[in-house]
Amino acid sequence: MATTLISGGTVVTATGRSAADVLVDGEKIAAVLAPGSTLLGQDLARSVDTVLDAAGKYVIPGGIDAHTHMQMPFGGTEASDTFETGTRAAAWGGTTTIVDFAIQRYGERVMDGLAAWHEKAAGECAIDYGFHQIIGDVNDDSLKAMNSLLDEGVSSYKLFMAYPGVFYSDDAQIYKAMRVGAETGLMTMMHAENGPAIDAMVAELLAQGKTDPYYHGVARAWQMEEEATHRAIMLANLTGAPLYVVHVSAKQAVEQLAAARDNGQNVFGETCPQYLYLSLEDQLGAEGFEGAKWVCSTPLRSKHEHHQDHMWQSLRTNDIQMVATDHCPFCMKGQKDLGVGDFSKIPNGIGSVEHRMDLMYQGVVDGKISLERWVEITSTTPARMFGMYGTKGVIAPGADADVVIYDPNGHTSIGLEKTHHMNMDYSAWEGYEIEGHVDTVMSRGKVVVNNNEYLGSKGHGQYVRRSTSQYLV
Ligand SMILES: [Zn+2]
């Protein structure tokens, strides 16, 4: 097996940083050593196959994006990144594992949905991948199937309080699913927005001729997120199910989560870069149909209400535990433009899988989170939350050699289509400047990106079988 020494860098973990060399043997990390260590009197650097010089750079566990939707069918079209293009873009940005969502649609069987997603991903991915299971039709058969998910390496399932007629579960269905979730040890993930009320408001706005993308944000008011978050928390409290609320964007929803956590409940929250940086006014409210680029649900929030500042603060105080992207890209031409003249027909989603590590590192530069917290919210907590820790999310002997060398003196300009690697005809992050750079990305011991060159291959990525959450007491 090939050996690599990552030498001279600063190893950063969720709990600290130190000058150390990292020895990689095959697909695993073999040792974390004092700089310049020798082996049986031999200079280690001379006895390995490859030396990667990390002097002046950070050596971190590869990013884990626990919320992506590659080639997901939505609104009469399909997310534009395939598993091949999406995982390649992820690798470019220092992410070495994604957890995507397999889907059971209404009238379908859960295990057929999971099998379909395995088929889409197998042999296509540049980096490792796991699956959460969306239960889009809670019925007796689905509830029975939930008992087999852990055997399939799927330790989390997701319900929707939004999208009536598509993925929506009513309170009775949520209650029943959570009962099973609590019994089996599955993490319940929740899209927490009051879908029926939102749909009523959408119809009102459209009837008034308010059809621009901006009104997507108006219709999905923060009250709808706070209310659903609270309801999910109460149902989780009643059933004893651990609860993970996806893409939290409203500060009032964070307050609900924080109160439940203070009350001792196993309740967690995820936010995404778009809710930290972007707003209803500046992006959704952009000229003409431009705002469609940023139509996603939950929506971007008003900057005048300071949700974005509150979200950064929540990351510091651990009221929000981690950051994923909800990567679900659609092109403007032929996809987003389905909603010209009717914002409710714009496919929901933003592409960010390539930029999450950089965008969150900028939070370190800006003094909003610490270096260690950056590693924790982008890699270590996602690994623990979803049952991969030890293999993923850490630089330690025995872990998969998923390693990123990050240059704090480098620079990354996020630009148009040509300068990113996601399969999109625009970038939601065009113009963002990052005071750092992903130099080298290693996935299970193989260098897949180095000095702005892609060295990976489709099919290298393997399915990750996950165990129950390691974040619970
Ligand atoms: Zn999503």
Side-chain angles (χ1 to χ4, degrees):
M1 289 296 256
T3 50
T4 305
L5 188 70
I6 302 169
S7 127
T10 300
V11 172
V12 183
T13 69
T15 52
R17 65 187 90 172
S18 59
D21 293 349
V22 178
L23 178 64
V24 173
D25 186 0
E27 297 194 341
K28 299 281 183 183
I29 293 172
V32 181
L33 305 150
S37 289
T38 55
L39 184 68
L40 302 172
Q42 272 246 8
D43 184 358
L44 204 51
R46 283 167 179 241
S47 52
V48 296
D49 299 315
T50 312
V51 175
L52 295 172
D53 180 10
K57 297 170 186 175
Y58 298 131
V59 178
I60 61 169
I64 299 174
D65 191 340
H67 189 157
T68 68
H69 300 282
M70 303 305 172
Q71 54 198 98
M72 170 178 149
F74 188 96
T77 183
E78 190 171 276
S80 57
D81 261 323
T82 61
F83 278 92
E84 181 185 0
T85 63
T87 57
R88 187 168 61 212
W92 270 104
T95 286
T96 52
T97 306
I98 60 164
V99 191
D100 205 89
F101 288 86
I103 299 179
Q104 176 221 16
R105 273 171 293 215
Y106 194 80
E108 295 177 353
R109 291 155 49 95
V110 172
M111 287 305 162
D112 290 349
L114 182 57
W117 256 256
H118 271 295
E119 202 161 305
K120 288 184 200 220
E124 297 294 320
C125 295
I127 54 164
D128 289 351
Y129 61 98
F131 291 125
H132 310 288
Q133 179 66 50
I134 286 174
I135 310 281
D137 185 0
V138 178
N139 57 39
D140 288 347
D141 278 350
S142 317
L143 293 169
K144 217 173 284 169
M146 283 174 67
N147 288 298
S148 313
L149 285 177
L150 259 182
D151 294 337
E152 300 292 328
V154 175
S155 60
S156 43
Y157 74 100
K158 182 180 176 190
L159 300 176
F160 289 77
M161 302 167 97
Y163 305 126
V166 188
F167 295 129
Y168 175 74
S169 288
D170 67 24
D171 291 348
Q173 290 173 308
I174 293 168
Y175 170 79
K176 288 178 187 173
M178 280 184 170
R179 287 282 300 257
V180 179
E183 278 165 26
T184 53
L186 295 174
M187 179 68 79
T188 301
M189 306 173 77
M190 188 64 77
H191 179 134
E193 283 187 300
N194 185 324
I198 286 169
D199 282 6
M201 201 161 165
V202 167
E204 267 176 27
L205 289 164
L206 290 174
Q208 292 163 14
K210 295 175 174 167
T211 61
D212 288 344
Y214 175 83
Y215 293 101
H216 170 81
V218 174
R220 308 188 87 90
W222 62 260
Q223 289 90 340
M224 300 294 95
E225 186 183 348
E226 178 180 9
E227 185 278 326
T229 303
H230 179 73
R231 187 154 34 97
I233 288 169
M234 286 297 107
L235 289 164
N237 188 300
L238 183 65
T239 55
L243 174 69
Y244 175 96
V245 181
V246 296
H247 50 54
V248 177
S249 66
K251 65 181 178 190
Q252 294 85 353
V254 177
E255 283 160 4
Q256 294 291 337
L257 293 170
R261 287 172 58 74
D262 289 348
N263 197 30
Q265 208 177 324
N266 271 322
V267 167
F268 314 103
E270 156 202 291
T271 194
C272 312
Q274 53 267 36
Y275 307 123
L276 295 157
Y277 284 101
L278 310 178
S279 73
L280 171 67
E281 293 82 7
D282 293 341
Q283 277 79 28
L284 267 180
E287 196 76 12
F289 190 64
E290 281 293 284
K293 291 177 176 174
W294 297 279
V295 164
C296 59
S297 299
T298 58
L300 304 183
R301 299 292 176 196
S302 171
K303 61 181 177 184
H304 305 303
E305 296 166 358
H306 304 289
H307 298 277
Q308 295 82 0
D309 294 344
H310 194 89
M311 214 56 72
W312 280 110
Q313 177 186 306
S314 307
L315 283 174
R316 280 198 298 281
T317 58
N318 206 38
D319 285 338
I320 292 286
Q321 283 70 41
M322 52 182 269
V323 175
T325 55
D326 195 8
H327 179 77
C328 194
F330 295 99
C331 292
M332 281 294 271
K333 202 166 175 302
Q335 296 198 297
K336 290 279 189 182
D337 62 9
L338 294 169
V340 173
D342 179 351
F343 68 84
S344 73
K345 296 204 163 59
I346 301 170
N348 286 203
I350 289 185
S352 311
V353 75
E354 185 169 348
H355 304 310
R356 184 184 65 122
M357 298 302 285
D358 281 327
L359 288 164
M360 297 318 299
Y361 180 73
Q362 191 59 35
V364 177
V365 175
D366 295 342
K368 293 184 165 165
I369 51 172
S370 70
L371 191 60
E372 288 79 5
R373 184 65 175 160
W374 172 54
V375 171
E376 187 169 28
I377 62 180
T378 57
S379 178
T380 306
T381 295
R384 290 179 65 203
M385 188 69 73
F386 294 113
M388 297 176 273
Y389 185 72
T391 307
K392 306 289 189 191
V394 65
I395 296 209
D400 281 355
D402 292 351
V403 183
V404 172
I405 302 176
Y406 197 86
D407 183 2
N409 296 309
H411 191 93
T412 306
S413 295
I414 303 180
L416 285 167
E417 190 187 357
K418 299 286 175 246
T419 59
H420 68 73
H421 304 87
M422 299 175 286
N423 187 31
M424 304 170 69
D425 61 0
Y426 75 99
S427 169
W429 298 98
E430 188 190 340
Y432 274 78
E433 300 290 332
I434 308 295
E435 296 166 70
H437 186 258
V438 173
D439 274 13
T440 308
V441 182
M442 185 181 268
S443 163
R444 290 195 342 275
K446 180 179 168 36
V447 173
V448 292
V449 173
N450 196 34
N451 295 329
N452 301 312
E453 190 185 353
Y454 180 69
L455 303 168
S457 56
K458 78 172 196 169
H460 168 77
Q462 292 181 351
Y463 177 61
V464 180
R465 301 183 72 88
R466 301 179 296 109
S467 57
T468 50
S469 176
Q470 296 147 304
Y471 209 79
L472 304 172
V473 188

